[in-house]
Amino acid sequence: MHFQPSLLLPLVAVATAARPMLWWPNTLAEEQYGTIEPESALPNVSTVVGLPDFQFLAEGHMNLSSYTYYHSGAAGEWSYRNNLETFQRARLRPRVMKMVDDIESSLPTQILGYNFSLPLFISPCARAGYANETGELGLVRGAAAGNVLYMVTDFSSRTKEEISAAKAEGQILFQQLYIDPHNDTATLEQIREAETLGFKALILTVDSAADGNRHRALRFGVGSADSSYSSITWEKYNWMREQTSLPIVPKGIQTVEDAVIAVRNGAPAIFLSNHGARQLDGSPNGFEVALEIHEQAPWVFDSLEVYADGGVRYGADVVKLLALGVKAVGVGRPFMFSNIYGEAGVERAIEIIRREIAIDAANAGIADLKQINSSVLALNRYPFWGQGS
Ligand SMILES: Cc1cc2nc3c(=O)[nH]c(=O)nc-3n(C[C@H](O)[C@H](O)[C@H](O)COP(=O)(O)O)c2cc1C
Ligand SMILES: *[C@@H]1O[C@H](CO)[C@@H](O)[C@H](O)[C@H]1NC(C)=O
Ligand SMILES: *[C@@H]1O[C@H](CO)[C@@H](O)[C@H](O)[C@H]1NC(C)=O
Ligand SMILES: *[C@@H]1O[C@H](CO)[C@@H](O)[C@H](O)[C@H]1NC(C)=O
Ligand SMILES: *[C@@H]1O[C@H](CO)[C@@H](O)[C@H](O)[C@H]1NC(C)=O
Ligand SMILES: *[C@@H]1O[C@H](CO)[C@@H](O)[C@H](O)[C@H]1NC(C)=O
Ligand SMILES: *[C@@H]1O[C@H](CO)[C@@H](O)[C@H](O)[C@H]1NC(C)=O
């Protein structure tokens, strides 16, 4: 057949229109809130309906360079997009006519032996001060109000002393660490500081062997804060464990191989993450890594605690991760955006996701989140691993 470009053009347009880069879906946030400017008053936080709303509000409220620092992913942000989209490729298989009235009683979760109200935590994200001058204090206090775990970033806007001092009575915080593998003196100082300030576990970020390639952020000079080559080997990990009784959790495990090696090294937990797709474009999100482990070494989930994050925005996303055996799920950017309100925003974000986890699990026919398994996921029906969309 003779090639007719004019026939192809409408198809190209349709294909492009069908796959726009949607950082959040249009659920009429703009119609509700109107245009938000940096100087305008924020709408009453109780009117926020979902986690994506906080990003909409923060985009208007924060200046462009600060907003860009939070928003940015690596390179073309294909993995950032994938982090958000992966959850829709694993559809649910809701069971009906089940007794689900008591689902809320299965929300409380132990993380490394500490009790929290949800199988969900605040992932460590740098520079909370960009959203609100109270910085990390909003996250600490919001986490306390909702009784969820907050993993405090190493690159905080407030000092670690201020953050620790803001704890509610009995509140548990974990400390995320970036270490310089070439300077054990500095690493020991970091460990001692965390111990002295009462952090209960160390989250060791291992996914940043090199600078993150962040095109969007580089335009504003707000790229990766961790800029040197810094491979952390298992030998270094084991050396660190000899220096402290605090549990040390590797954050940024992205393959079943490394999950298995973590088990062999006696790690108490692993954190599946691609750093919010800010390091390596092409890296998988936590759900894809959990799926790989589920398929190839499911015993890992029984050998240690598995945490995962990347693109979690709705209760159903959390349910899907738990179904694979993940113990607790991290959320990063939405909490950072919610912090434009300070602690009230963080508290509202927790309240929203708490309700969504419960109602989404119930609508999927899950009576008890602790008994959830992968039968609630339609795993083999939708393409994964880049087989299309
Ligand atoms: C603004 C920002 C700063 C971050 N800073 C850190 C950090 O200091 N240490 C770290 O281990 N991960 C950091 N991360 C990654 C988060 O811990 C988390 O893995 C990621 O945000 C999860 O994806 P989500 O934002 O889509 O929920 C950061 C992420 C963002 C968005
Ligand atoms: C926000 O809305 C809630 C619920 O309607 C109300 O109780 C509260 O007083 C409002 N807060 C402000 C600051 O207007
Ligand atoms: C944690 O919760 C468990 C089960 O509900 C309970 O037995 C335990 O005493 C709690 N631990 C603490 C430290 O509160
Ligand atoms: C943007 O906001 C941040 C944090 O509030 C501030 O430090 C920075 O100077 C602002 N940048 C511009 C260009 O206004
Ligand atoms: C190692 O860290 C210590 C403590 O922070 C610092 O004083 C020292 O200069 C560092 N050494 C090198 C070679 O950077
Ligand atoms: C920043 O957080 C503080 C404390 O939580 C809060 O009082 C303040 O209103 C927040 N700023 C904005 C602009 O909402
Ligand atoms: C998985 O969950 C379903 C639904 O609750 C249940 O019927 C099934 O027995 C469970 N499978 C396993 C292997 O536990």
Side-chain angles (χ1 to χ4, degrees):
M1 194 184 102
H2 185 70
F3 179 66
Q4 287 180 280
S6 58
L7 286 180
L8 206 60
L9 272 175
L11 287 177
V12 171
V14 166
T16 317
R19 301 271 299 144
M21 194 71 107
L22 279 181
W23 297 114
W24 62 86
N26 176 11
T27 61
L28 303 184
E30 192 165 4
E31 284 74 2
Q32 179 183 340
Y33 303 118
T35 307
I36 306 290
E37 306 278 2
E39 310 77 32
S40 50
L42 286 167
N44 186 328
V45 71
S46 69
T47 65
V48 172
V49 304
L51 296 193
D53 283 21
F54 286 114
Q55 180 161 1
F56 172 84
L57 296 168
E59 185 179 28
H61 180 76
M62 296 169 71
N63 67 42
L64 187 58
S65 76
S66 290
Y67 173 75
T68 298
Y69 176 70
Y70 285 3
H71 180 54
S72 191
E77 302 181 335
W78 306 107
S79 279
Y80 183 4
R81 173 181 184 154
N82 183 62
N83 278 5
L84 297 167
E85 292 186 344
T86 300
F87 293 103
Q88 292 319 314
R89 288 189 215 125
R91 228 74 81 190
L92 289 162
R93 302 180 60 251
R95 299 296 306 273
V96 297
M97 304 170 85
K98 300 274 183 188
M99 280 301 275
V100 295
D101 322 35
D102 196 30
I103 183 72
E104 310 235 352
S105 72
S106 66
L107 291 176
T109 302
Q110 284 199 348
I111 303 177
L112 291 177
Y114 298 103
N115 288 341
F116 299 98
S117 71
L118 286 180
L120 180 121
F121 58 88
I122 304 179
S123 285
C125 297
R127 300 174 175 162
Y130 283 2
N132 181 294
E133 71 281 357
T134 57
E136 287 75 18
L137 308 187
L139 293 155
V140 176
R141 292 176 180 140
N147 189 18
V148 303
L149 170 62
Y150 171 34
M151 297 181 180
V152 177
T153 173
D154 203 2
F155 290 145
S156 49
S157 302
R158 295 295 187 127
T159 65
K160 310 257 165 59
E161 287 81 1
E162 286 177 289
I163 294 167
S164 177
K167 275 186 299 190
E169 201 187 324
Q171 184 176 359
I172 303 297
L173 297 177
F174 292 176
Q175 171 71 67
Q176 179 262 325
L177 288 185
Y178 286 113
I179 63 159
D180 174 356
H182 308 297
N183 189 338
D184 290 348
T185 313
T187 302
L188 274 176
E189 282 176 9
Q190 289 172 283
I191 293 173
R192 297 291 164 256
E193 183 185 42
E195 290 171 342
T196 307
L197 293 174
F199 292 96
K200 296 300 185 199
L202 302 175
I203 307 297
L204 181 66
T205 299
V206 296
D207 63 16
S208 308
D211 208 359
N213 174 29
R214 300 181 195 160
H215 290 187
R216 185 188 295 267
L218 283 170
R219 304 186 198 289
F220 299 89
V222 291
S224 173
D226 172 37
S227 54
S228 53
Y229 288 103
S230 54
S231 330
I232 300 160
T233 60
W234 287 104
E235 192 182 8
K236 184 65 69 181
Y237 172 79
N238 286 319
W239 171 80
M240 285 178 73
R241 290 211 308 173
E242 286 163 18
Q243 313 306 316
T244 180
S245 59
L246 292 179
I248 307 180
V249 180
K251 173 176 186 278
I253 298 291
Q254 294 163 80
T255 58
V256 63
E257 287 94 323
D258 284 336
V260 167
I261 293 171
V263 175
R264 295 214 177 106
N265 278 277
I270 52 175
F271 191 155
L272 315 178
S273 176
N274 66 355
H275 210 115
R278 290 159 76 81
Q279 287 302 117
L280 176 63
D281 213 1
S283 57
N285 91 333
F287 184 87
E288 290 169 298
V289 183
L291 184 61
E292 187 173 291
I293 298 171
H294 171 79
E295 286 170 344
Q296 296 180 36
W299 50 268
V300 164
F301 293 106
D302 304 318
S303 307
L304 39 63
E305 295 187 3
V306 179
Y307 318 137
D309 75 6
V312 174
R313 302 291 179 266
Y314 308 96
D317 302 346
V318 175
V319 169
K320 288 171 183 176
L321 282 161
L322 299 180
L324 291 175
V326 168
K327 175 123 201 202
V329 173
V331 173
R333 291 181 185 84
F335 281 117
M336 298 301 277
F337 292 131
S338 75
N339 195 34
I340 53 176
Y341 287 94
E343 74 179 273
V346 178
E347 201 181 334
R348 176 72 185 139
I350 295 169
E351 186 177 280
I352 288 170
I353 194 78
R354 178 194 312 287
R355 176 164 163 74
E356 286 191 9
I357 294 169
I359 61 179
D360 289 353
N363 280 320
I366 296 153
D368 177 353
L369 271 172
K370 298 290 182 288
Q371 303 296 323
I372 193 171
N373 66 47
S374 63
S375 71
V376 75
L377 296 175
L379 286 179
N380 302 318
R381 204 169 303 162
Y382 301 96
F384 267 88
W385 314 120
Q387 293 162 24
S389 54

